[in-house]
Amino acid sequence: MRKPLEIEQLYHACDASLFSFSSTQELEPLEQPIGQEKALEAVEFAAKIKQSGYNLFAMGPSGGGKHSTIMDFLEQKAKEEEAPKDWCYVNNFKDPRKPIAIDLPAGDAVRFKDEIYELIELLKVILPATFESNEYRNERESINQKYVDKQAAIFEFLQEEAKKHDVSMNMQSNSRITFVPIIDGKVLTPEEFKAIDGKQKEEINKKIDEFELIVKEGLHQVSQLSKAEVKEFKALDKKISKEAIESLISEVRRKYADSEKIVAYLNELQDDVI
């Protein structure tokens, strides 16, 4: 028959005279768990392995402090190590399917991202305002007027040539001109022109053929002027865009002058925006 335990057997008293403190509040917290020297040596060994593909697996009873112990160890070790670089991806304007990876000193990637975001937001405001400015409108109007004057000079020349060739010219558009012969200051109707024959008709047809070649050349010049005007408008837009954004991008470019990849990215960004 089993005997019940005595009260003295249910309690083990600790001799307080063994301690040099009156309360545990006077003690510094333990940095390492008690009796886990081998485990900590394993963690330290694992942390020294610099190659990829190695992992550390900690096993033990739940609530034993495995996670907090390892994290405390790694945080302490990280303080002794050089901070790892930041990495960021930027758009590859030549091949958007292959973004460009750029490494930066620790903490700089977030700052770089924020500065690019701020730059883009500024451009959204500045560019529309630039193309609505009086300066831009005046330059565009000056270009347009220059080509209007050149076209007018061409059509004025054609009118003079029409008189020399006894032709009445009607300009229906910049690409369509009709003309009919004139005899003694009178514009001939189709019926009157058909009624003419012989040498007189040959002379009239000769003058019309000559004038037709002159008209074709004139219309070709007008067409070339239109193309030149479009090119000059594009050049103006490019110049205005560059003036508006170059100072903004240059400011960011100066901050990252030591990174060739970022400078190249900013150059391509500027070209793309323009």
Side-chain angles (χ1 to χ4, degrees):
M1 181 177 179
R2 297 178 180 177
K3 294 180 180 181
L5 296 174
E6 299 294 332
I7 293 177
E8 292 79 8
Q9 294 176 282
L10 298 177
Y11 175 74
H12 181 69
C14 180
D15 185 1
S17 64
L18 297 175
F19 304 119
S20 60
F21 56 89
S22 57
S23 170
T24 54
Q25 290 182 343
E26 301 173 11
L27 301 178
E28 293 291 333
L30 291 174
E31 294 183 358
Q32 298 180 353
I34 299 174
Q36 297 294 335
E37 289 79 9
K38 292 292 185 183
L40 290 174
E41 287 177 7
V43 174
E44 185 174 9
F45 175 77
K48 288 180 179 178
I49 299 176
K50 301 296 184 181
Q51 293 176 316
S52 61
Y54 290 87
N55 299 280
L56 174 66
F57 179 74
M59 183 174 67
S62 178
K66 301 182 297 299
H67 183 269
S68 59
T69 297
I70 293 174
M71 289 303 298
D72 288 343
F73 175 85
L74 293 177
E75 286 177 4
Q76 185 60 39
K77 184 172 179 59
K79 293 178 182 179
E80 303 168 2
E81 299 284 338
E82 183 182 354
K85 292 181 177 181
D86 284 352
W87 285 91
C88 64
Y89 279 115
V90 297
N91 184 40
N92 183 346
F93 293 96
K94 295 177 181 177
D95 188 353
R97 298 171 300 173
K98 298 179 180 179
I100 299 169
I102 299 178
D103 62 305
L104 291 164
D108 281 4
V110 173
R111 180 166 62 92
F112 176 62
K113 180 198 73 172
D114 291 342
E115 287 177 344
I116 293 299
Y117 177 81
E118 182 181 359
L119 172 66
I120 298 302
E121 292 303 307
L122 281 172
L123 292 177
K124 288 180 181 179
V125 175
I126 289 174
L127 281 175
T130 299
F131 286 99
E132 292 171 3
S133 67
N134 289 332
E135 179 186 358
Y136 173 73
R137 289 173 180 165
N138 291 340
E139 286 197 51
R140 189 176 177 88
E141 179 59 30
S142 176
I143 292 172
N144 180 65
Q145 188 59 49
K146 178 176 69 175
Y147 284 96
V148 167
D149 292 343
K150 288 183 177 182
Q151 288 184 6
I154 291 173
F155 289 119
E156 186 177 344
F157 169 76
L158 292 179
Q159 289 287 5
E160 292 297 324
E161 289 297 313
K163 292 178 182 178
K164 293 178 183 178
H165 290 78
D166 294 325
V167 172
S168 173
M169 185 180 74
N170 181 25
M171 187 179 68
Q172 296 179 344
S173 68
N174 286 352
S175 59
R176 180 174 172 79
I177 294 177
T178 59
F179 43 88
V180 292
I182 299 175
I183 295 179
D184 298 329
K186 180 186 177 184
V187 177
L188 298 183
T189 64
E191 291 75 15
E192 290 172 332
F193 180 68
K194 287 181 181 179
I196 299 173
D197 57 9
K199 188 175 181 180
Q200 185 181 19
K201 193 165 189 175
E202 288 180 6
E203 291 178 355
I204 292 174
N205 285 331
K206 182 180 178 182
K207 288 182 179 181
I208 290 176
D209 290 342
E210 290 175 354
F211 182 66
E212 187 174 7
L213 293 176
I214 295 172
V215 168
K216 285 182 178 179
E217 176 60 27
L219 293 179
H220 175 70
Q221 291 178 13
V222 170
S223 175
Q224 293 300 108
L225 286 176
S226 298
K227 292 178 181 178
E229 184 180 22
V230 170
K231 286 183 179 180
E232 199 159 340
F233 280 148
K234 287 184 177 180
L236 172 63
D237 290 350
K238 187 173 182 179
K239 178 178 78 76
I240 292 293
S241 299
K242 186 176 181 180
E243 290 174 355
I245 71 176
E246 190 167 32
S247 60
L248 295 175
I249 294 182
S250 293
E251 185 178 346
V252 181
R253 193 186 289 118
R254 281 194 297 272
K255 293 180 182 179
Y256 298 93
D258 293 336
S259 174
E260 292 184 6
K261 284 188 175 181
I262 288 185
V263 171
Y265 163 71
L266 292 173
N267 291 339
E268 291 185 6
L269 172 64
Q270 177 173 310
D271 292 341
D272 185 73
V273 172
I274 292 174

